[in-house]
């Protein structure tokens, strides 16, 4: 792009003398005015990203992932929305831009891939035109150049017969193919930053992997920074360099991927881990693994936002809210929890709770053999002698 | 297959509509010939009665007319001095009505589309509220009242336009315009309000769609997003209603033609009822019904242009 303008009054991002980071987000807060009152969808999120790297943002439905991406990109509607915090893109503060200044960035410098390819493409426009229009607008390409580029893009995202597909309508393609088109649209002008908001949630498991591989390949080729949003820790496991776990609009744990998986600290991350869909599950199955419901963002609970659902909750959790702080052992590992997993002083709590839970459920198993099952009731697979082990 | 179905639909509709219309005329008391040729001799009347089969049953009269109509004979328009074929007058008056409805429809869409799109985009602002209030006001004014008002202020008082009569566009385009402008406005005003409101609500729904956000994330200008991305998927209801509205429009055109003395189908129909021109009346009603169905057929075809998904559904 053009010459970078240094932002006055801001310290240069540490560790990167000269070249500023691709993206630096500081303390973003996004509130919506609703009938019930002010809804805090994003509550003080900070993060940063370099080119060529992937940040995974993980959290359940309603945790504010989409609102966060849209806040960073400036895509939220202006009415009923209140946003604060800084978004520094290539060293330039962009959160105060007006729509016409944003248009220079949208599609050109930063792009977004949407969750549902069935609804993300205009149903009454040929896919070719949906790709060429941004080429013509941002890069001032001629009609024929834009067409050639679009066909090349369709080819790059591995759509068979790209020339023919250029003049197809979205409804003539499968979900996976449409998502490839959505990716082609996003990649068209060569963005430096790509937001992928649940790019595979609506797709079959096998197609999911193909799409994620495609994204990774394009990232290498184009040296893009990617923010990969998902509710499925499994999706980001092998793909993200770093993972931020979101709950109720806040980042509650953040670490390089390997570290997060080996030493997760937050009970919420642990619950998400248990919710990773197995390959054997039918696709699109909704995850029910985390008990309880996400908190009301208009009236959030006092103390730790996860406390009403946390299996390890302690009295202190209801009074104070933990802040995101670096782990004493690894400063790149941040988490917000008073009683993190693995800390010696809480292991006892953890064991006691586990024992209590086991005892609470045990009577069922004790009672079961008393009733002799009729042959019809017997499962074809012989039950293991100690059923409690399965817990 | 599609065409065949439409054709069957057309025939059934024409029969039902004309049957119903002529039954209504049948209910009028008295001898039609007294109205048709008030100063005619007894012999002339008797001849006319024979010709119109007034001594026979309604079923015979109706089926005779239907048979004639199917072969292109629309019957005669009876006057004391001479009888003229209905088709003559029809070919004169039909273009007047068609032009009036076409202009009114165009004028209505010309205002309704941008206002519908912009009020949806600016939902809840003073612009939206003002436009909505104006739309309700426009809906509340009856056609004929508005016609008289325009006639009086713009025609009589200010003398800008002609208040009654007609000139065909081939005779004098300028006079044609002067004669047509007030009837067109009168007929269009109510439609503007309906179309604008319809488009507005469909646009609001479309603007919530993912593909609109995606278009925004591509960095496209609002104008392009609204008119290239959002308008077409939002216009199906508008199109349907515009098609169905042809009925209302025909009714409106009838009144407007009478108010502005425009020699169209409406005025002719109005006269035909007053003069008990049973045959002419039946033929004109049939022509209007056919037109109505043809327009709706055109609307069906337009759907497939607007939405490619329907194109495929029709094929399979
Ligand atoms: N325009 C809006 N007005 C009011 N509330 C909103 C708006 N957009 C989002 N929200 C609320 O903000 C919260 C966060 O929504 P968001 O879409 O970011 O969740 P998410 O993490 O992306 O979930 P999902 O996995 O379902 O996409 C939700 O409670 C949602 O209801
Ligand atoms: S702070 Fe307490 S309630 Fe919150 S996650 Fe940690 S243990 Fe659970
Ligand atoms: Mg989302």
């Amino acid at each position: 792009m053009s010459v970078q303008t240094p932002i006055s009054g801001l310290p240069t991002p540490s560790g990167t003398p000269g070249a500023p980071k691709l993206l630096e987000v500081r303390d973003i807060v996004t509130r919506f005015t609703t009938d019930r009152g002010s809804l805090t969808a994003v509550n003080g999120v900070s993060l940063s990203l370099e080119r060529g790297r992937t940040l995974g943002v993980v959290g359940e439905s309603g945790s504010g992932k989409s609102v966060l991406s849209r806040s960073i990109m400036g895509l939220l509607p202006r009415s009923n929305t209140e946003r604060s915090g800084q978004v520094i893109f290539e060293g330039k503060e962009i959160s105060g831009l007006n729509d016409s200044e944003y248009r220079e960035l949208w599609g050109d410098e930063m792009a977004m891939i949407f969750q549902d390819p069935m609804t993300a493409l205009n149903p009454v426009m040929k896919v070719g035109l949906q790709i060429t229009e941004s080429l013509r607008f941002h890069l001032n390409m001629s009609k024929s150049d834009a067409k050639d580029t679009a066909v090349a893009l369709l080819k790059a995202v591995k759509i068979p017969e790209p020339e023919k597909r250029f003049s197809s309508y979205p409804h003539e393609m499968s979900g996976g193919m449409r998502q490839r088109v959505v990716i082609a649209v996003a990649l068209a002008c060569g963005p430096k930053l790509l937001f992928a908001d649940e790019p595979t949630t609506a797709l079959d498991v096998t197609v999911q992997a193909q799409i994620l591989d495609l994204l990774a390949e394009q990232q290498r080729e184009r040296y893009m920074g990617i923010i990969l949003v998902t509710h499925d820790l499994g999706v980001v496991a092998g793909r993200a360099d770093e993972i931020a776990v979101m709950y109720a609009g806040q980042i509650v744990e953040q670490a390089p991927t390997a570290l997060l998986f080996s030493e997760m600290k937050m009970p919420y991350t642990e619950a998400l881990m248990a919710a990773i869909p197995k390959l054997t599950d039918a696709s699109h199955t909704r995850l029910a693994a985390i008990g309880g419901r996400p908190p009301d963002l208009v009236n959030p609970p006092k103390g730790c936002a996860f406390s009403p659902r946390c299996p390890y909750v302690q009295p202190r959790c209801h009074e104070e809210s933990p802040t995101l702080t670096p782990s004493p052992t690894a400063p790149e590992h941040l988490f917000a929890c008073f009683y993190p997993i693995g800390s010696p002083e809480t292991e006892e709590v953890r064991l006691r709770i586990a024992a209590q839970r086991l005892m609470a459920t045990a009577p069922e198993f004790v009672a079961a053999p008393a009733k002799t099952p009729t042959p019809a009731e017997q499962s074809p697979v012989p039950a293991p002698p100690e059923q409690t082990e399965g817990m | 297959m599609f065409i065949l179905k439409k054709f069957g639909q057309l025939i059934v509709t024409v029969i039902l509509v004309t049957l119903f219309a002529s039954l209504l005329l049948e209910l009028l008391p008295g001898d039609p010939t007294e109205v048709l040729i008030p100063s005619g001799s007894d012999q002339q009347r008797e001849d006319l009665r024979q010709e119109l089969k007034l001594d026979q049953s309604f079923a015979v009269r109706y089926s005779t007319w239907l048979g004639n109509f199917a072969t292109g004979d629309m019957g005669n328009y009876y006057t004391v001095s001479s009888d003229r074929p209905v088709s003559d007058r029809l070919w004169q008056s039909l273009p007047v009505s068609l032009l009036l409805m076409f202009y009114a429809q165009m004028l209505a869409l010309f205002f309704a589309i941008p206002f519908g799109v912009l009020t949806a985009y600016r939902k809840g602002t003073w612009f939206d509220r003002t436009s909505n209030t104006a739309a309700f006001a426009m809906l509340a004014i009856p056609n004929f009242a508005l016609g008289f008002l325009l006639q009086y202020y713009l025609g009589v008082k200010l003398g800008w336009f002609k208040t009654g009569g007609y000139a065909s566009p081939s005779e004098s385009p300028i006079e044609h315009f002067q004669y047509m402008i007030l009837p067109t406005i009168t007929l269009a005003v109510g439609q503007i309000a309906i179309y604008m409101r319809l488009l507005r609500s469909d646009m609001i729904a479309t603007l919530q769609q993912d593909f609109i956000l995606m278009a925004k994330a591509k960095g496209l200008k609002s104008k392009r997003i609204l008119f290239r991305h959002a308008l077409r998927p939002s216009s199906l209801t508008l199109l349907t209603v515009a098609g169905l509205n042809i009925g209302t429009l025909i009714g409106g055109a009838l009144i407007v033609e009478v108010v502005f003395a425009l020699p169209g189908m409406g005025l002719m129909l109005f006269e035909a009822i007053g003069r008990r021109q049973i045959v002419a009346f039946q033929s004109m009603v049939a022509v209007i019904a056919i037109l109505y169905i043809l327009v709706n057929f055109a609307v069906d075809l337009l759907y497939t242009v607007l939405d490619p998904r329907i194109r495929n559904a029709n094929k399979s």
Side-chain angles (χ1 to χ4, degrees):
Chain A
M1 219 188 74
S2 54
V3 189
Q4 309 304 335
T5 26
I7 346 105
S8 51
L10 281 174
T12 6
S14 57
T16 53
K21 279 189 173 158
L22 177 64
L23 179 72
E24 179 101 49
V25 171
R26 292 189 198 142
D27 202 25
I28 283 211
V29 177
T30 304
R31 293 200 172 91
F32 295 110
T33 317
T34 66
D35 309 337
R36 295 169 48 238
S38 171
L39 184 154
T40 310
V42 174
N43 193 359
V45 168
S46 303
L47 47 86
S48 69
L49 184 67
E50 304 274 9
R51 282 196 80 162
R53 298 184 59 87
T54 303
L55 171 70
V57 176
V58 190
E60 346 161 61
S61 192
S63 54
K65 309 179 298 287
S66 297
V67 174
L68 173 65
S69 335
R70 288 167 198 190
S71 302
I72 297 173
M73 245 182 116
L75 273 176
L76 289 169
R78 303 225 174 229
S79 55
N80 304 332
T81 310
E82 189 191 312
R83 193 184 65 167
S84 68
Q86 289 173 311
V87 179
I88 298 143
F89 180 72
E90 295 196 304
K92 207 173 142 222
E93 165 71 87
I94 61 166
S95 57
L97 299 185
N98 61 31
D99 268 5
S100 76
E101 291 166 324
Y102 263 127
R103 271 198 284 276
E104 305 277 308
L105 298 174
W106 289 337
D108 197 14
E109 302 281 320
M110 43 175 81
M112 185 173 273
I113 298 170
F114 293 86
Q115 171 168 350
D116 190 353
M118 297 299 172
T119 56
L121 292 170
N122 191 328
V124 302
M125 252 171 137
K126 290 182 176 162
V127 299
L129 179 58
Q130 302 196 41
I131 302 174
T132 54
E133 63 179 353
S134 46
L135 291 171
R136 285 172 59 77
F137 178 74
H138 287 296
L139 309 180
N140 291 317
M141 278 193 191
S142 71
K143 225 173 179 157
S144 65
D145 282 354
K147 180 172 177 175
D148 293 345
T149 312
V151 170
L153 277 162
L154 289 175
K155 204 170 184 162
V157 296
K158 301 196 173 64
I159 286 181
E161 300 183 275
E163 287 88 3
K164 202 176 139 221
R165 285 307 180 190
F166 182 85
S167 28
S168 294
Y169 285 100
H171 70 272
E172 295 164 340
M173 307 174 116
S174 70
M177 284 299 145
R178 285 192 219 187
Q179 193 63 305
R180 286 168 195 271
V181 173
V182 173
I183 293 174
V185 170
L187 295 179
C189 301
K192 295 173 184 147
L193 176 58
L194 184 66
F195 291 87
D197 191 351
E198 312 220 21
T200 59
T201 306
L203 303 172
D204 285 345
V205 182
T206 45
V207 184
Q208 273 186 19
Q210 291 168 5
I211 295 286
L212 290 169
D213 289 345
L214 174 70
L215 274 179
E217 181 192 306
Q218 291 297 321
Q219 175 179 35
R220 269 192 309 277
E221 249 166 57
R222 293 158 194 268
Y223 199 47
M224 292 179 294
I226 295 187
I227 291 187
L228 180 58
V229 172
T230 173
H231 63 252
D232 181 359
L233 255 180
V235 164
V236 285
R239 321 246 172 205
D241 301 296
E242 198 180 1
I243 292 176
V245 178
M246 269 190 96
Y247 187 75
Q250 289 173 307
I251 292 184
V252 292
E253 181 161 14
Q254 183 173 3
T257 306
L259 191 57
L260 185 89
F261 277 90
S262 62
E263 302 205 6
M264 72 183 52
K265 300 285 186 192
M266 260 294 289
Y268 178 62
T269 314
E270 185 186 53
L272 279 179
M273 187 76 78
I276 296 178
K278 311 288 175 296
L279 259 177
T280 47
D281 289 348
S283 61
H284 310 303
T285 37
R286 207 65 199 142
L287 306 165
I290 308 179
R293 300 217 275 121
D296 178 6
L297 298 174
V298 177
N299 302 301
K302 201 167 162 243
C304 173
F306 193 52
S307 58
R309 303 165 73 187
C310 182
Y312 314 119
V313 61
Q314 298 293 305
R316 184 185 174 192
C317 307
H318 293 300
E319 297 305 320
E320 296 168 55
S321 43
T323 49
L324 192 65
T325 37
S327 150
T329 52
E332 69 273 32
H333 190 165
L334 310 164
F335 60 90
C337 176
F338 295 127
Y339 306 98
I341 293 161
S343 54
E345 67 270 34
T346 58
E347 218 31 44
E348 181 229 311
V349 176
R350 200 168 307 286
L351 282 173
R352 187 156 39 83
I353 293 165
Q356 274 169 1
R357 285 208 290 168
L358 207 67
M359 269 142 65
T361 44
E364 283 174 32
F365 297 102
V366 177
K371 183 181 138 222
T372 35
T374 60
E377 274 177 334
Q378 263 172 335
S379 57
V381 183
E386 282 175 64
Q387 295 192 354
T388 43
E389 242 178 28
M391 280 301 294
Chain B
M1 198 44 228
F2 183 59
I3 301 284
L4 217 69
K5 205 175 104 189
K6 285 282 157 189
F7 190 69
Q9 212 176 324
L10 188 138
I11 291 181
V12 171
T13 313
V14 168
I15 290 179
L16 284 178
V17 167
T18 51
L19 198 63
F20 185 67
S22 33
L23 267 174
L24 278 180
L25 269 195
E26 210 52 40
L27 291 177
L28 289 178
D31 181 358
T33 59
E34 271 170 32
V35 188
L36 283 172
I37 37 173
S39 51
S41 66
D42 283 351
Q43 184 54 42
Q44 280 173 312
R45 279 201 190 150
E46 192 47 45
D47 289 349
L48 188 54
R49 252 184 231 117
Q50 291 292 326
E51 195 184 328
L52 292 175
K53 298 196 162 53
L54 284 179
D55 43 359
Q56 292 176 40
S57 73
F58 172 72
V60 174
R61 275 198 301 280
Y62 181 75
S63 52
T64 313
W65 168 82
L66 192 63
N68 290 342
F69 185 81
T71 57
D73 176 6
M74 298 195 194
N76 282 330
Y77 200 91
Y78 300 96
T79 54
V80 194
S81 46
S82 65
D83 300 341
R84 283 209 297 145
V86 170
S87 48
D88 276 12
R89 294 199 57 163
L90 198 77
W91 293 131
Q92 281 171 11
S93 60
L94 189 62
V96 180
S97 297
L98 287 182
L99 281 176
L100 173 63
M101 289 191 275
F102 177 74
Y103 294 158
Q105 200 78 306
M106 287 300 118
L107 186 71
L109 291 175
F110 180 79
F111 282 102
I113 289 177
F115 273 92
V117 168
L118 292 177
T119 49
Y121 182 55
R122 297 248 168 263
K123 186 181 70 162
T125 60
W126 72 265
F127 168 72
D128 179 33
R129 284 193 297 270
T130 315
S131 307
N132 278 328
T133 314
F136 277 118
M138 292 199 291
L139 264 180
I141 309 172
N143 265 341
F144 65 89
L146 180 69
F148 286 133
L149 276 175
L150 291 178
Q151 222 169 17
Y152 182 67
Y153 283 103
L154 301 185
V156 178
K157 276 204 127 175
L158 297 170
W160 290 352
F161 308 106
K162 311 226 170 187
T163 53
Y166 183 67
S168 81
S170 52
E171 275 164 31
S172 156
I174 293 172
E175 275 192 47
H176 176 73
F177 171 77
Q178 287 181 316
Y179 280 122
M180 290 299 261
I181 185 92
L182 291 185
T184 303
I185 294 174
T186 308
L187 195 53
V189 160
Q191 317 280 323
I192 294 177
I194 298 172
Y195 294 168
M196 186 190 113
R197 300 278 308 165
L198 269 175
L199 186 60
R200 178 181 176 273
S201 59
D202 279 17
M203 271 298 278
I204 288 174
T206 306
L207 290 177
Q208 311 277 329
Q209 301 271 318
D210 281 0
F211 67 83
I212 295 299
L213 187 65
M214 171 140 160
K216 191 177 170 190
K218 279 195 230 175
L220 303 177
K221 293 220 166 77
S222 313
K223 207 170 104 192
R224 187 175 172 93
I225 295 176
L226 289 175
F227 289 93
R228 289 302 304 270
H229 281 263
L231 179 57
R232 243 173 80 183
S234 313
S235 51
L236 289 181
T237 321
L238 179 67
L239 182 69
T240 314
V241 173
L244 290 174
N245 226 7
I246 297 293
T248 321
L249 207 61
I250 292 171
L254 189 144
I255 295 169
V256 169
E257 281 172 13
V258 174
V259 170
F260 288 94
L262 261 189
M265 292 286 281
L267 196 60
M268 194 177 152
L269 209 60
F270 186 69
E271 280 176 19
I273 298 172
R275 300 205 181 137
R276 298 290 288 275
Q277 302 280 354
I278 304 168
V279 178
F281 179 75
Q282 276 171 340
S283 298
M284 282 189 289
V285 167
V287 169
I288 290 172
I290 291 171
L291 272 179
Y292 179 74
I293 292 169
L294 286 182
V295 169
N296 276 295
F297 182 56
V299 167
D300 280 351
L301 291 179
L302 258 179
Y303 274 138
T304 61
V305 175
L306 280 180
D307 194 335
R309 285 168 297 182
I310 298 174
R311 209 172 303 165
N312 271 43
N314 275 355
K315 255 185 239 157
S316 55

